[in-house]
Amino acid sequence: MCLFQCIMNYFPEEVLEHVFDFLTSHRDRNAVSLVCKSWYNVERCSRKKVFIGNCYAVNPELVIARFPRFQSLTLKGKPHFADFNLVPHDWGGYVQPWIEALAKNGISLEELRLKRMVVSDESLELLSKSFPNFKSLTLVSCEGFSTDGLAAIASNCRYLRELDLQENEVDDRKGHWLSCFPDSCTSLVSLNFACLKGEVNAAALERLIARCRNLKSLRLNHAVPLETLQKILVQAPQLNDLGTGSFVNDPYSESYFKLKAVLQKCTSVKSLSGFLDVNPRCLPSIYPICTNLTSLNLSYAPGIQSNDLIKLIVRCKKLERLWILDTIGDKGLEVVAATCKELQELRVFPSDLHGVGNAAVTEEGLVAISAGCPKLNSILYFCQQMTNAALITVAKNCPNFIRFRLCTLNPVIPDAVTNQPLDDGFGAIVQSCKGLKRLSVSGLLTDQVFLYIGMYAEQLEMLSIAFAGDSDKGMLYVLNGCKKLKKLEIRDSPFGNMALLSDVGKYETMRSLWMSSCEVTYGACKTLAEKMPRLNVEVINENEEMEGRPKDKHRVEKMYLYRTLVGARKDAPPFVWTL
Amino acid sequence: MSPPLLGVEGQSQCNVSLMASSASVDCVSQTGPGLKENNYLGLSDCSSVDSSTVSDVPEENKKNLNLKATELRLGLPGSQSPERDSTFALQCSGKIDEKQLFPLVPSKDGICSLSQKTVVSGNKRGFADTVEGFSESKSSIFSEGNWMFNAAASESGQPKLAGNAGINVMLANRSSGTQSSIKTEGPAKASQESNVKMNGSNTNSAPAAKAQVVGWPPIRSFRKNTLATTSKNNDEVDGKPGPGALFVKVSMDGAPYLRKVDLRTYSTYKELSSALEKMFSCFTIGQCGPQGAPSREMLSETKLRDLLHGSEYVLTYEDKDADWMLVGDVPWEMFIASCKRLKIMKGSDAIGLAPRAVEKNKNRI
């Protein structure tokens, strides 16, 4: 034992615990647990927040056994590609067993954050009744519940501080869930119901806001009329984060004048979103807020055209985060580049998903942004076309990217000028951005791009591939090269058994691998499952007419594998085979 | 279900016609039975890739070997490029100069021909295959006809043969592998340079109809659904009020179905009303008889115009404030900016809106 260790062991555990309290990131705490047994024990008993990136990698009992005193749980369920309808309904990801287990074992849960999980009304009700100190519920991209479940939360969670619903599919029963907050509820700090479709009782909402003096974040859904917003803002000028409801009014009306007046007083609003329904002529009312904004999300505002967008953005000099639709155009992005010098994160979403729209951005917008915004570190960019030259320029301008996600609307489009694959462009990105953790590639790509990724993307943790590559070599470059890879998701690419089976041990160092519409066969999946008992290799079969199992040589349409401590899951539906 | 095809821009073959008439299922059938094996990604200019059969493959490989020396490849240790070791060592030493950020040198920075081996095995499932695969699995997300892609022609001959061939192979037919041809369309080479430019601009100005593939573009379904519903609610308009089509629904009382017109294709009210007359003539014919209007034999355009303008029908529109207005009061530009949908109302319903029209009717009869 070294001297340091001797000294550390003389400290009573309370001291260690106190030191560990300063460690909030679960990665740091995981590292600390590996030092020695006593640190492992101290750490595990003192961990308050547990993060589980794949709910099927463990089970609730194991988590409770290791961390008996945790109060906050984050769970992620379905694979990422479920967001894009690639995972069938009923695949799994149920939160119910977790809530049951936590309740049974006396965990005093205060915070629950779920992503891509199936949450039923029953689960919400059980949650609301089992944990008297429950304070915070965040649901992202979840489904399976209705406003009845929300009513249960509102009614029973006496100290609720945060109810944050982001992009969930909620069955809106037109009930009065919001009215279920009792008059005694004054603790709300954050309320986000922007994803709900139905109406809420305006008077109940106004009263709720009025009595929650600590409310900092409020995101309304589009059914809340402008008049209600105005009344709410009078009661809550201290808001930091505002999501508007319906922003439609006659700009010559009295209510609009009142709105303008109250918005001028909302000097603490730093983050703005909403505008799903909008009359662009009412937008000048928010100009006073623009000067203080650090975060602006107009990606759900298709009603605002490019010139109105520009008029807004030109006032937002402090913007750090901008989510917008591609209606802004390359010209608009040039304005962003000229104005938003503090910009760190940009997301440009496509507005026209069905037709042959002309509203789109190209490589020019991206280059302009990269030139004008030196602090840019995260980008999601849906574009009509791209060029290697542009990507190379972007790589030179912005070496600080942590997340770089490029999506060409045509998934196999080559360089728009040279018609070459976009290999070199992405190669420049990975070579220049040494801290890159997340990458999504698109456009015409050969194995070469994966050679570059394997060689240069040393910090890469998540990689998304679609319609790319020529052969198994592509996937091999990635598996061999990216040492920190945690999540790999591939669709419609010619990677097959050779790549899959070349380094089976690699998958235990990763959270998960998704491969769909590739060249992997059933036999290879079986082989992999046999060799690696601590992986769940799931094959998703969507061919209803098939009887029995496919032959070994048949291609597998969808395969999802992940490391796990608890073997095959027991809640898999019949169309999911765990090999 | 028509097999999907990738169109090739700028090439003087039937592919061009495919591109030109987007969403043209008919064109697909013109190409003959089954999939025509074309060099969709336009990497067809390579001189060695002229004819169609497997026998060409070895020739390609020979040419590949010759060009190998000019290829820029960054080999991983143990990979295929022994002659490049010194370069790799340079890279390892951490010097990063301009060159390493892959300046575009078209003749050299070609696709690494790592995929030589895969030419034969036809591993890559191209886009066409994917789409085909969906048809096999009876996906309902499919939409017929919109299968074209801007797969542009490439530049002059490159050491890209193997890569190209690999792509070509898979495009044709997944199961046939090597048999699939590497047919090229001959005259492509001559117009290469101009094609390149054209392609660049084509992508901008004339986007082909986008293919509908499951999960592409990768956007959360919540976002997709929300934006789709909003655009339906806000304005009954496809695309943006800007350049592009401005489709509005046109309903007519008593007609069994509605129509849509693109307001941007007209510049005056007169054009619009004559177009609507033509569109709805089939319905008005039926209406004539029972109401004692002119008999069928005497129907002509003028009669219809009378019907629409003078007597039975009044053209109205719903504006952004959801009010029903009489068409014709405001300047044309203002009209198309605020019109959400059109309705051809019966005279009796339109009494409140257009008293003069009703009186005209009385005068005529």
Side-chain angles (χ1 to χ4, degrees), chain B residues 72-137:
Chain B
L72 173 70
R73 284 192 283 143
L74 296 166
L76 288 172
S79 75
Q80 300 173 339
S81 52
E83 70 271 23
R84 293 281 168 173
D85 277 344
S86 52
T87 329
F88 185 70
L90 239 180
Q91 290 163 0
C92 286
S93 70
K95 289 186 207 158
I96 294 188
D97 58 3
E98 280 299 300
K99 211 161 161 59
Q100 287 198 342
L101 285 177
F102 319 110
L104 277 190
V105 181
S107 59
K108 287 198 176 164
D109 291 2
I111 305 173
C112 174
S113 63
L114 292 164
S115 50
Q116 286 173 28
K117 291 178 192 160
T118 68
V119 172
V120 175
S121 57
N123 275 340
K124 174 154 179 161
R125 294 177 70 240
F127 206 67
D129 279 353
T130 316
V131 169
E132 198 181 355
F134 285 123
S135 73
E136 285 162 15
S137 63

Side-chain angles (χ1 to χ4, degrees), chain A residues 99-290:
Chain A
I99 299 182
E100 282 173 359
L102 265 53
K104 205 164 79 159
N105 287 282
I107 299 288
S108 59
L109 193 67
E110 294 189 7
E111 178 182 55
L112 185 62
R113 307 165 69 88
L114 304 177
K115 187 167 186 181
R116 277 189 293 271
M117 293 201 70
V118 178
V119 181
S120 63
D121 284 343
E122 189 198 343
S123 307
L124 288 176
E125 186 160 351
L126 183 61
L127 177 67
S128 71
K129 292 185 174 160
S130 311
F131 308 106
N133 279 334
F134 191 72
K135 295 193 170 72
S136 166
L137 179 63
T138 304
L139 301 177
V140 180
S141 221
C142 296
E143 47 151 1
F145 62 103
S146 76
T147 44
D148 292 347
L150 297 178
I153 297 283
S155 312
N156 302 326
C157 299
R158 276 201 271 155
Y159 303 113
L160 194 68
R161 287 207 204 133
E162 196 175 334
L163 179 59
D164 188 1
L165 306 171
Q166 299 177 27
E167 299 188 326
N168 302 291
E169 298 284 354
V170 184
D171 178 14
D172 205 311
R173 299 250 169 99
K174 317 267 187 269
H176 299 287
W177 67 274
L178 196 105
S179 315
C180 294
F181 280 107
D183 290 340
S184 54
C185 171
T186 56
S187 47
L188 275 181
V189 172
S190 167
L191 178 62
N192 172 8
F193 59 94
C195 65
L196 297 186
K197 306 267 192 308
E199 288 180 8
V200 293
N201 183 316
L205 177 61
E206 289 166 36
R207 285 196 307 270
L208 177 65
I209 306 297
R211 62 181 184 267
C212 293
R213 307 310 310 159
N214 293 324
L215 192 69
K216 285 278 182 282
S217 165
L218 177 65
R219 297 189 186 184
L220 310 170
N221 74 349
H222 72 104
V224 176
L226 198 61
E227 294 78 21
T228 309
L229 173 65
Q230 184 260 319
K231 290 185 201 158
I232 288 173
L233 289 176
V234 169
Q235 297 287 348
Q238 77 282 4
L239 284 178
N240 283 342
D241 170 17
L242 175 65
T244 69
S246 165
F247 212 76
V248 174
N249 207 332
D250 175 359
Y252 295 107
S253 67
E254 166 128 8
S255 57
Y256 179 69
F257 283 135
K258 283 197 214 162
L259 178 73
K260 275 214 304 195
V262 77
L263 279 170
Q264 276 180 331
K265 299 208 188 101
C266 293
T267 49
S268 7
V269 171
K270 296 234 161 17
S271 165
L272 187 63
S273 59
F275 302 101
L276 189 57
D277 286 335
V278 60
N279 177 354
R281 294 189 295 160
C282 293
L283 286 176
S285 59
I286 62 169
Y287 289 169
I289 299 185
C290 291

Side-chain angles (χ1 to χ4, degrees), chain A residues 29-98:
Chain A
R29 294 193 77 115
N30 290 346
V32 144
S33 321
L34 294 174
V35 168
C36 63
K37 277 203 182 127
S38 77
W39 282 34
Y40 176 89
N41 276 318
V42 171
E43 192 285 313
R44 76 177 188 88
C45 291
S46 62
R47 192 182 294 212
K48 294 272 183 305
K49 293 191 180 184
V50 172
F51 170 86
I52 295 178
N54 174 6
C55 64
Y56 290 121
V58 289
N59 62 27
E61 288 74 30
L62 276 179
V63 176
I64 295 168
R66 179 164 172 197
F67 303 113
R69 299 209 196 108
F70 75 93
Q71 294 172 338
S72 162
L73 179 63
T74 302
L75 278 174
K76 295 190 184 180
K78 299 187 200 175
H80 176 230
F81 276 176
D83 278 345
F84 318 132
N85 292 332
L86 288 178
V87 176
H89 201 52
D90 295 343
W91 173 86
Y94 305 104
V95 76
Q96 178 72 5
W98 288 85

Side-chain angles (χ1 to χ4, degrees), chain A residues 167 392 410 431 451 492 519, chain B residues 100 102 125 130 149 220:
Chain A
E167 299 188 326
I392 291 169
N410 171 348
Q431 189 177 22
L451 174 60
D492 295 280
E519 301 292 328
Chain B
Q100 287 198 342
F102 319 110
R125 294 177 70 240
T130 316
F149 268 90
R220 275 195 186 151

Side-chain angles (χ1 to χ4, degrees), chain A residues 463-538:
Chain A
L463 178 62
S464 307
I465 300 171
F467 303 98
D470 306 310
S471 74
D472 285 333
K473 286 214 177 80
M475 187 168 162
L476 281 174
Y477 290 139
V478 171
L479 291 175
N480 292 336
C482 300
K483 299 291 175 220
K484 296 204 176 173
L485 195 63
K486 293 252 159 326
K487 289 199 283 191
L488 180 57
E489 46 188 27
I490 306 173
R491 62 166 293 187
D492 295 280
S493 300
F495 305 137
N497 299 342
M498 200 265 277
L500 181 70
L501 296 174
S502 64
D503 179 5
V504 293
K506 171 83 175 170
Y507 304 124
E508 270 193 16
T509 69
M510 291 166 54
R511 188 187 293 172
S512 65
L513 167 67
W514 167 280
M515 290 180 79
S516 61
S517 305
C518 297
E519 301 292 328
V520 171
T521 67
Y522 188 74
C525 294
K526 279 200 313 192
T527 309
L528 179 55
E530 271 163 30
K531 287 192 186 174
M532 302 296 296
R534 286 196 297 193
L535 295 180
N536 276 353
V537 180
E538 295 187 5

